[in-house]
Amino acid sequence: MRGIPDLAEVEAMDAADPLRAMRDRFVLPEDVIYLDGNSLGAASVDAFSEIETAARQEWARDLIRAWNTAGWFDMPIELGDQLGRLIGAKPGQTVVCDTTSINIYKVLHAALAMRPERSVIVAEGDSFPTDLYMAESVASRRLGTVLRLEGTDAPTIEELVDHRVAVILVNHVNYKSGRLRDMAALTRKAHEAGALIAWDLCHTAGALPVDLDGSNADFAIGCTYKYLNGGPGSPAFIYAASRHHRDIRQPLSGWWGHARPFAFEQGYAAGTGIRRFLCGTQPVLSMRALKGALDMWNDVDIRAVRRKSAALTDLFIRLVEARCGGFGLELESPRSGAERGSQVSFAHPHGYQVMRALIERGVIGDFRAPSTIRFGFTPLYVGYRDVWDAVEVLEDILRTGIWQDARFAVKTTVT
């Protein structure tokens, strides 16, 4: 793309978009430009259809029988395999269950148990808080376990890895800046030191291709309500390489993870394979909504998603810097599309007020303290004209100074 495109060129990009038909499968308000899919993905017709079927036909008609007649019991594994195709995992290595926080807890305990002679967890100092909170919790419950943080104990994760490290917990895409890490290189570094590595894919799955198997990753966790559009609070997932399955020991030994859950035995006997990460009864209606969202990916090439993601974010950066320069914005995301996920973050001294003003005008992004305004681009339903229109609104808000209105300074929840 040479120079700054005009509106005609932007509309031509939409016309040539191989993913443009996917937008019709989502339910989006006409007066909203939704750039917060990196927090909560949009609702889809497919998800609604699955919920309707599960509630009105299966639950209402079959009642308890639906666990068998509708296949509810097997959904964690079946959806795990379906999701696994999007993250480079062969069947039998991914399970959909619980929440990201709970799954981090399970994975870290499992990894530490696999390296009993080691006592260090390594994580990022600027990780999403739940990762750090759960890592702190795990460390506090294992005598002698220490948490080392990138940016606090050393400038980089690589400098923190030594013979004492049991497991590294790291985000593939940083939630705030969108910076993308080299999965294969860092995994190799961990293994050279004898450590295990767990990748957080919350801001990756559904946004760009991942090759967990090819990168020789040990574990991965992630949510399904962002770029996978599974719905608010939709169940998370765990990946564990098959070479580790026999050694998995995790502390939440609920009945769904039992080898014989319907034998109702007093003692716990762990199931086989990836089922060892299961715990309690799963939320069926949320699972079925996720099934609808995942079914859409049968018609999508994840490589086309990545290409469009890079093009959308490139266009956004160029237009913002061309039209909003001089208004105090500073790019926080990598400039190169190859180095970032599907989001763009700018810092502004009054980012909270600016985002509040944007949301009032129908451009929904989000704010991350202390000064980051963050925009997520979900290629399945965000178009190039959306980018153009969003930048027009941002320019107007900054040029007129309307963000300084007192109503935007009131501290309320921002998405």
Side-chain angles (χ1 to χ4, degrees):
M1 188 187 301
R2 293 184 176 181
I4 304 302
D6 59 22
L7 180 56
E9 292 175 281
V10 169
E11 291 180 333
M13 294 169 72
D14 273 327
D17 175 16
L19 297 174
R20 65 187 183 277
M22 293 301 299
R23 185 182 180 113
D24 294 335
R25 295 172 72 167
F26 289 88
V27 182
L28 293 162
E30 292 184 2
D31 57 346
V32 164
I33 299 172
Y34 192 59
L35 303 180
D36 204 12
N38 53 332
S39 285
L40 175 64
S44 69
V45 174
D46 301 68
F48 288 163
S49 176
E50 285 293 329
I51 294 174
E52 181 80 7
T53 298
R56 291 189 177 276
Q57 296 183 34
E58 297 167 359
W59 178 20
R61 183 189 62 199
D62 290 346
L63 298 168
I64 192 74
R65 295 170 296 179
W67 284 102
N68 295 315
T69 59
W72 289 355
F73 191 83
D74 296 323
M75 282 195 297
I77 303 299
E78 292 178 354
L79 292 180
D81 286 344
Q82 193 171 357
L83 193 155
R85 294 197 294 270
L86 298 177
I87 56 175
K90 291 180 181 177
Q93 299 181 104
T94 309
V95 64
V96 170
C97 60
D98 302 316
T99 68
T100 302
S101 299
I102 292 173
N103 289 343
I104 289 171
Y105 188 84
K106 291 187 286 189
V107 162
L108 289 181
H109 270 290
L112 285 163
M114 291 167 62
R115 294 291 186 271
E117 74 285 0
R118 297 177 176 228
S119 58
V120 175
I121 301 170
V122 170
E124 306 146 288
D126 64 349
S127 180
F128 189 76
T130 200
D131 295 54
L132 295 179
Y133 301 160
M134 298 312 293
E136 290 173 4
S137 176
V138 171
S140 71
R141 285 158 175 77
R142 298 181 68 96
L143 185 64
T145 301
V146 176
L147 178 60
R148 294 179 185 171
L149 296 180
E150 180 184 52
T152 299
D153 299 303
T156 68
I157 281 182
E158 287 80 358
E159 294 171 84
L160 292 171
V161 181
D162 60 24
H163 67 282
R164 293 185 59 208
V165 175
V167 59
I168 301 168
L169 173 63
V170 62
N171 287 266
H172 192 212
V173 173
N174 182 275
Y175 84 101
K176 198 169 184 181
S177 70
R179 184 171 295 279
L180 175 67
R181 287 190 186 265
D182 186 328
M183 179 178 288
L186 186 54
T187 298
R188 187 164 53 250
K189 174 72 174 178
H191 290 171
E192 287 171 355
L196 299 166
I197 191 164
W199 288 93
D200 184 326
L201 302 183
C202 285
H203 290 84
T204 302
L208 62 152
V210 186
D211 188 7
L212 289 173
D213 287 348
S215 298
N216 205 29
D218 299 299
F219 301 101
I221 61 274
C223 64
T224 62
Y225 50 76
K226 293 181 172 64
Y227 297 105
L228 293 174
N229 310 296
S234 58
F237 64 88
I238 297 179
Y239 160 91
S242 57
R243 64 184 179 274
H244 295 315
H245 286 184
R246 287 188 178 183
D247 299 321
I248 292 170
R249 302 289 184 275
Q250 59 96 0
L252 302 182
S253 49
W255 79 294
W256 269 57
H258 196 282
R260 297 167 296 279
F262 293 101
F264 303 112
E265 300 168 359
Q266 285 188 332
Y268 185 75
T272 59
I274 195 65
R275 294 191 67 91
R276 290 185 173 214
F277 274 119
L278 290 174
C279 181
T281 305
Q282 301 303 313
V284 169
L285 297 183
S286 291
M287 287 271 190
R288 287 300 295 269
L290 176 59
K291 180 183 183 302
L294 291 177
D295 283 349
M296 289 193 296
W297 289 93
N298 296 332
D299 304 322
V300 176
D301 181 351
I302 189 66
R303 294 167 299 180
V305 169
R306 179 58 172 163
R307 288 192 294 270
K308 184 178 177 183
S309 165
L312 287 168
T313 50
D314 283 344
L315 177 64
F316 186 72
I317 291 171
R318 298 180 71 179
L319 289 177
V320 168
E321 293 188 334
R323 300 177 61 173
C324 304
F327 292 116
L329 291 171
E330 181 179 349
L331 182 65
E332 290 189 322
S333 298
R335 189 169 296 280
S336 168
E339 297 176 6
R340 66 172 179 265
S342 199
Q343 69 180 63
V344 175
S345 298
F346 283 93
H348 189 278
H350 302 281
Y352 179 82
Q353 292 96 317
V354 171
M355 183 51 68
R356 289 285 312 285
L358 280 167
I359 291 172
E360 185 181 83
R361 292 277 298 273
V363 178
I364 300 179
D366 65 23
F367 170 78
R368 292 292 180 260
S371 59
T372 299
I373 53 175
R374 193 178 69 150
F375 304 88
F377 298 83
T378 304
L380 298 187
Y381 55 77
V382 174
Y384 298 97
R385 178 63 188 265
D386 292 324
V387 173
W388 176 276
D389 291 342
V391 175
E392 276 203 333
V393 174
L394 177 60
E395 178 188 13
D396 184 66
I397 285 170
L398 294 171
R399 179 176 49 78
T400 62
I402 189 64
W403 59 267
Q404 299 176 69
D405 191 288
R407 70 185 185 278
F408 299 131
V410 177
K411 291 291 183 181
T412 59
T413 300
V414 177
T415 53

